[in-house]
Structures are given as structure tokens and as C-alpha cells.
Amino acid sequence: MKKYIPIAVLSLALMGCTNSSAPAGEDNNQIEEENKDDQKKVIEVSKPEESEEESEDKNSEENASEDTDQSKKVDKDINDKEEGEEDKEETESKEDKPGEEENVDQEKQGEVTADDLFFLPYSTFRSVNEDGEIVDENGIVSPSDDSYNYDYVKYSNNIFIRTKRNVEDLDDKVTVVRMNDKNVTSLYEFPSDEEFRPLGLVGDKIYGFHNYYAKSDINGTETLENEKNAIGYVDLATGEVHDFEDTIDVMTGGAVVIDGELQFTKPGDNKEDAYNYDLYKLDLSKGLDQEAELVEKDFNLQYLFGQKRFVDGKPVWKILRADNDNIYANDQKFPFLWAETGHQEIIGNNIFYFQVDAKGEGDRLSTNLKILNLTSGETVLEEVVRGIKIADGKLYYLTSNNQLESVDIEL
């Protein structure tokens, strides 16, 4: 049930899997009617109805991307603890470990207010200042050239990868950060010649695509050239980064991680078919030198989505599959959005659709958000939003008019 939250003081504040690598295809922003012989229920996605006021503040072309966890289950905050320290301070948050119940032991979180930080995938953190303006975490009117973009880490509430401001800034660094209520904490900083795109947080480790670059000079201009790529992880508990040997310099297609397992695709035997991929998996309990196990030959042009939801207080993990048209879950079909039409992320028992304004007429701060429940197929929310965050079992969001509202969601 949607709940409107009044704002006493005008100070507001400011969330996979884009398919940029996928081939161009038909716009499937709305799913077609099911065939007679198709017994699966078809769920439709359409743009939210806009009022006259909202039409002036339509969604931006910012592509959003992957996925928040249950507010009661929070990310593990990695604090450096000094040995011999008798009075231990509270860790700000902890992520559940396999077989263990999660602890709510994070930085004390008060009531969500509009001057908290909010996010949209692949965009800036944002809030609303005393003048009613959207600003980034540094108070700069957003978006600006000085604002960072943040890539949401799946299965977390508030962990992100801060990307480089400008690809031409060779000394700028990719950083793992935690978005607190009012500020941002750095958890790990990569060397300036490395990049990292997250797949998800499992335990203390963020798994993802890890790329290495080397500086070179081309016609007098210093640039970065790809030197090595792999799938690896950042261990937030130790501050170490490791790569799986069987993925080094492999032309990996898609990948997904859940508790205990990482699946990825790589080219198959048919070299004449550019879309011939086989599906492999890695056991996360084994070493970095393990050989990937073949799961399925000729997996080809399919996509993988990870899901973590809570049933009776315990995490349940699944890997969902998709093709060029649909994502399949619970005997239902949900639309698959191409990068040019939007982005989708599965969070808890919901699929979030961040839809791009095809006409490019919207403002750069907003996006059309539609949320569907993966069990019932019902619409949970359909709004033009400027920022979101999850807390207390609710999704809090900023409307196109910079008002703070909330809705209950199933995590």
C-alpha cells in the first residue's frame, strides 16, 4: 500500500543487467499476447500515466541498472578492527553468510527522510537540498561533470561501485562504497588501471568482471589499453582481489552469481556462429584454480538473472533464464527490455523495470519505474521517480515533483 510522507523541511535526498552487448532486436517494451498453445501467463509492461505536472518532468535517458536486498537483511559493513581493542564499536552492517541468520547490526538508521541519499542505477546519488533542488552527495546540483555514477551491487541494500567520472581521467579510480543515510563511505579502492563491474554480493565477497589496463601512448595522447580480463571477486573482509583462473582472458558472455555458485557463458565449438555459447559453472567453495564445469552445450543467446528472496526469514536463491523476449519465473513470462528501451533488475521477489523514454523528451533526473511481483504478476508500483532506496521492508522513492513516498514490497 502506497504511503505519502509529508516533508516538513524542504530538504530531500536521494538503485542485473543492461544489455548493451546484446544484438539489436525488436522493441519488446510491451509483451505480445500469449499463443494459444502457450500455457504461461504473460505479464505486460507499459509506461505510467503522467499528469500534466509530471509531463514536464518526464524520465531521463539515464540507463539504470541491478538490484537492492531486503531492508531487514543488510549488507556486511567491512570495518578494520584493531587487534587488542577491548571496546569494540558496532559494525555498521553485516551481510548474512550461508547457513547463518543475518544480523541487523549496521549504522543506526533513523526514519527515512527526503534529505537522505537516494539512487538510480548507473546514475548519481542524489538528494534534495533546502532550496528544493536535486543535488549529489557533495551538495552539487546534479547531474554535473563533477558527479560520480554508481553501479548497484546486487543482493545488497546500499553497496555500490563508483565508476570513473571521465574515461579520459587515467588517474581516477573505481571504488567500492557504501551509501549511508547522509554520506558515502569508501570500502575498497581499485588501482587506477583496473575496472570492476559487479555481479552481486555473497557473504563478504563482491563478484564481478575484473578488467586490467595498461597505459600507452597513441599519437602523443596517453590512453588505456585492455591488458587482461577475468571474473573475480573483491573480499571486503581482507581487502584482497582474486580472479578465477579458468576465466582469465576468456571472451565471456553473460554471468550470474548466487550463494555457492557462479555461472557464465563462453564461446562454443561452432566458430561460424557468433551467438554459439556454452554454459559453465564455478563452485564458490572451491579454489581459484578449479576447472569450470560444463552445464549446457549450445546455451547460445540466453540471459541469466539471479534472485535472492526471503522465505520464513531465510534466504532462497534462484537462477532465472531469459531469451530475447521474456524472463521466465514461476510459470510466467515477464518482458525482457533491451538496453535501448530500458533496464530490468530483480530485487527480492520483484522485477524492477527502469524504462527509457523512447522520444528522449524527459528530464535527465527521472525515469519511468514499474515494479511487478514475480509470484502474483501484479503491479506493485508504476511511477516516474527521481531516486529510490529500500529500508524497513519498504521502497522509498522521490517523485518527479521531489516528494517522498513509499510502498511495501516483498523481499
Side-chain angles (χ1 to χ4, degrees):
M1 180 178 71
K2 186 189 302 183
K3 177 183 176 184
Y4 176 78
I5 300 179
I7 304 175
V9 179
L10 190 58
S11 55
L12 306 174
L14 208 31
M15 125 190 160
C17 202
T18 56
N19 312 303
S20 57
S21 62
E26 295 183 356
D27 184 339
N28 56 349
N29 201 36
Q30 183 170 12
I31 200 167
E32 297 182 356
E33 295 183 356
E34 58 182 314
N35 294 328
K36 292 182 179 179
D37 59 345
D38 188 350
Q39 300 302 314
K40 296 187 176 181
K41 182 179 177 182
V42 178
I43 309 300
E44 293 189 350
V45 170
S46 59
K47 293 176 64 175
E49 299 253 341
E50 296 181 354
S51 66
E52 293 182 2
E53 292 180 356
E54 290 176 325
S55 64
E56 297 178 359
D57 288 314
K58 290 177 68 180
N59 80 314
S60 71
E61 290 185 327
E62 294 176 340
N63 283 334
S65 169
E66 291 260 192
D67 213 47
T68 328
D69 206 331
Q70 185 188 31
S71 61
K72 296 193 302 185
K73 315 300 190 227
V74 295
D75 322 305
K76 181 172 178 71
D77 175 26
I78 309 304
N79 294 320
D80 294 327
K81 296 182 179 180
E82 297 180 0
E83 294 183 3
E85 182 181 12
E86 295 180 359
D87 298 323
K88 296 182 180 179
E89 297 181 355
E90 278 188 325
T91 55
E92 295 180 326
S93 64
K94 292 183 179 179
E95 166 69 10
D96 67 298
K97 295 186 178 182
E100 297 181 1
E101 191 171 341
E102 290 182 293
N103 296 319
V104 181
D105 201 15
Q106 68 178 42
E107 176 182 322
K108 190 173 182 180
Q109 189 175 37
E111 179 183 357
V112 175
T113 58
D115 61 350
D116 285 354
L117 290 176
F118 292 77
F119 71 93
L120 287 177
Y122 297 130
S123 185
T124 62
F125 290 159
R126 66 271 308 272
S127 63
V128 179
N129 64 14
E130 294 178 351
D131 297 323
E133 299 173 305
I134 294 288
V135 296
D136 66 15
E137 70 271 22
N138 298 313
I140 301 172
V141 176
S142 179
S144 75
D145 292 339
D146 293 322
S147 299
Y148 280 104
N149 284 339
Y150 293 87
D151 191 353
Y152 167 69
V153 176
K154 193 174 178 70
Y155 314 132
S156 76
N157 273 351
N158 56 1
I159 305 297
F160 296 80
I161 304 297
R162 184 173 69 195
T163 57
K164 292 174 179 284
R165 273 199 190 109
N166 190 328
V167 294
E168 296 179 358
D169 184 355
L170 304 187
D171 295 322
D172 201 2
K173 297 180 179 179
V174 173
T175 307
V176 181
V177 303
R178 185 184 64 245
M179 183 185 77
N180 303 315
D181 286 346
K182 311 294 184 185
N183 55 45
V184 180
T185 301
S186 177
L187 302 179
Y188 180 83
E189 188 176 80
F190 287 88
S192 58
D193 57 354
E194 296 181 22
E195 288 185 351
F196 191 83
R197 292 182 293 120
L199 292 171
L201 174 71
V202 179
D204 299 333
K205 300 179 177 67
I206 301 176
Y207 294 85
F209 295 100
H210 190 197
N211 296 323
Y212 300 77
Y213 296 87
K215 291 184 178 180
S216 63
D217 188 289
I218 299 179
N219 298 325
T221 301
E222 192 174 34
T223 186
L224 292 176
E225 290 187 347
N226 187 276
E227 190 175 55
K228 174 184 172 183
N229 60 271
I231 296 177
Y233 62 81
V234 184
D235 189 333
L236 296 179
T238 64
E240 298 177 347
V241 178
H242 298 283
D243 297 326
F244 291 100
E245 294 179 8
D246 208 22
T247 68
I248 295 176
D249 292 333
V250 172
M251 192 174 69
T252 306
V256 65
V257 66
I258 60 172
D259 184 28
E261 185 175 317
L262 190 153
Q263 293 188 5
F264 66 97
T265 60
K266 63 180 181 180
D269 298 328
N270 187 355
K271 305 304 180 184
E272 296 181 357
D273 184 357
Y275 302 123
N276 180 230
Y277 280 83
D278 298 333
L279 180 64
Y280 291 82
K281 70 177 181 180
L282 295 167
D283 185 336
L284 300 187
S285 67
K286 296 182 179 179
L288 298 167
D289 59 350
Q290 65 179 290
E291 182 178 348
E293 178 184 344
L294 178 66
V295 175
E296 183 176 330
K297 289 283 291 182
D298 299 324
F299 186 73
N300 296 338
L301 201 58
Q302 296 186 66
Y303 309 97
L304 302 166
F305 288 85
Q307 181 189 18
K308 177 186 178 183
R309 61 176 298 200
F310 287 85
V311 177
D312 296 329
K314 296 182 179 181
V316 176
W317 304 76
K318 286 184 180 180
I319 294 179
L320 306 179
R321 293 188 177 188
D323 54 28
N324 289 336
D325 299 312
N326 304 304
I327 299 171
Y328 300 93
N330 303 318
D331 295 324
Q332 298 180 82
K333 299 193 297 185
F334 297 84
F336 178 87
L337 300 185
W338 291 82
E340 59 267 25
T341 58
H343 161 77
Q344 57 260 303
E345 184 60 86
I346 294 174
I347 301 173
N349 197 36
N350 312 277
I351 183 165
F352 284 54
Y353 288 100
F354 300 90
Q355 297 169 269
V356 174
D357 178 12
K359 297 181 180 180
E361 297 175 350
D363 71 86
R364 295 193 297 162
L365 294 174
S366 303
T367 189
N368 293 315
L369 173 62
K370 183 168 185 175
I371 303 174
L372 301 177
N373 183 280
L374 284 173
T375 300
S376 67
E378 295 179 354
T379 299
V380 178
L381 179 71
E382 190 169 6
E383 291 284 347
V384 177
V385 302
R386 286 189 160 184
I388 63 175
K389 73 183 303 178
I390 290 181
D392 306 322
K394 298 178 181 292
L395 174 76
Y396 292 85
Y397 59 96
L398 295 175
T399 70
S400 59
N401 295 322
N402 295 345
Q403 300 294 311
L404 178 62
E405 298 190 13
S406 71
V407 64
D408 293 330
I409 59 174
E410 184 183 351
L411 295 168

